[in-house]
Amino acid sequence: MEGANTSKCKLERSNLSGADMTGLQLVNVIMTGATLAGANLSASNLSGSKMQNTNLDSAVLTGCKLVDSDLSGSYFSNCRLQEVDDMSRADLSKCVFGGMDLTGWILEEAKLPGANLSGCTLLAGTDLSKANLSKCNLQGADLTGCKLAESDLSDANLTKCTLLAGTDLSKANLGKCNLGGSDLTGCKL
C-alpha cells in the first residue's frame, strides 16, 4: 500500500492492526472506531481525517501529518510519534497518551479538553500555543520549555509538573488550574 492515494475512503470500525500504511495519502479518510494497533503510518498524511475512538496502541506515526484531524477519544499508548509533522487544530479531546514523549510536537490551536497527558514529556519545541487544554490531566508532566502562550488550561490538573525556565505561559488561562507541587522556576507568566 506504500504511497497509495486513499483519500476520502471510509474505513470505520476496520481492523487494520499491524498494517503497513507507510506514506499513504489518507486525507479526509473516515476511520472512526478503527483498530490500528501496531500499524505503521509513518510519513502518512491523515489531515482532515475522522478517527474518533481509534485504537492506536503501539502504532508508528513518525513523520505523520494530522492537521485538522478528529482523533477525539482515541488511545495512543506506546505509540512511536517522534517527528510527528503537524497536529495543528487537531481534535484530541479525551485522548489517552499514557506517559509518552511528545517533545517537538506542533499542536498549535489543538483541542485537548479532558485528554490524559499524565506523566508525558512535552519539552522545548512542543508548541501548544492557543491550544484548548481545559480539564486536561497533565499531572507529573515535564513541560520545560514548552510553548503554552494563550492556551486554555482552565480546570486542568498540573500537579507536580515541571514548568521550568523557557516554559511560556504568557496570556494562558489558568483559571481553576491545579498547580499544587509544581515547579514554576523561571517560567514566563
Side-chain angles (χ1 to χ4, degrees):
M1 289 180 76
E2 189 171 339
N5 186 340
T6 54
S7 295
K8 298 183 183 178
C9 278
K10 291 185 180 181
L11 299 166
E12 56 252 282
R13 293 179 296 284
S14 296
N15 185 349
L16 298 164
S17 297
D20 184 0
M21 303 168 78
T22 304
L24 290 181
Q25 292 299 312
L26 295 163
V27 177
N28 297 317
V29 168
I30 298 171
M31 284 196 268
T32 302
T35 300
L36 292 163
N40 186 349
L41 292 151
S42 297
S44 293
N45 185 355
L46 291 150
S47 295
S49 294
K50 305 292 181 213
M51 299 173 65
Q52 304 96 325
N53 303 307
T54 297
N55 179 354
L56 292 153
D57 182 43
S58 301
V60 180
L61 298 170
T62 304
C64 196
K65 187 177 236 174
L66 291 152
V67 176
D68 293 314
S69 293
D70 185 351
L71 293 131
S72 56
S74 293
Y75 183 76
F76 286 89
S77 191
N78 302 312
C79 275
R80 286 193 285 173
L81 295 151
Q82 294 80 11
E83 301 171 25
V84 169
D85 189 18
D86 196 347
M87 291 180 91
S88 296
R89 299 177 306 279
D91 186 347
L92 299 163
S93 52
K94 298 183 180 174
C95 284
V96 176
F97 289 94
M100 295 173 47
D101 184 353
L102 309 179
T103 301
W105 279 27
I106 301 168
L107 291 156
E108 189 172 359
E109 296 182 49
K111 299 166 203 74
L112 291 122
N116 186 347
L117 293 153
S118 60
C120 285
T121 302
L122 298 103
L123 297 174
T126 305
D127 189 353
L128 284 156
S129 303
K130 300 179 184 176
N132 180 349
L133 295 154
S134 60
K135 299 181 182 174
C136 190
N137 182 4
L138 289 151
Q139 181 176 358
D142 187 348
L143 302 167
T144 303
C146 187
K147 296 176 188 172
L148 290 157
E150 299 182 56
S151 291
D152 181 1
L153 289 155
S154 58
D155 292 308
N157 179 4
L158 284 118
T159 55
K160 299 180 182 172
C161 279
T162 304
L163 298 117
L164 298 174
T167 303
D168 185 359
L169 284 164
S170 58
K171 298 182 183 176
N173 178 0
L174 298 170
K176 296 183 184 176
C177 181
N178 185 350
L179 290 160
S182 292
D183 187 350
L184 300 167
T185 306
C187 188
K188 183 179 179 182
L189 297 167

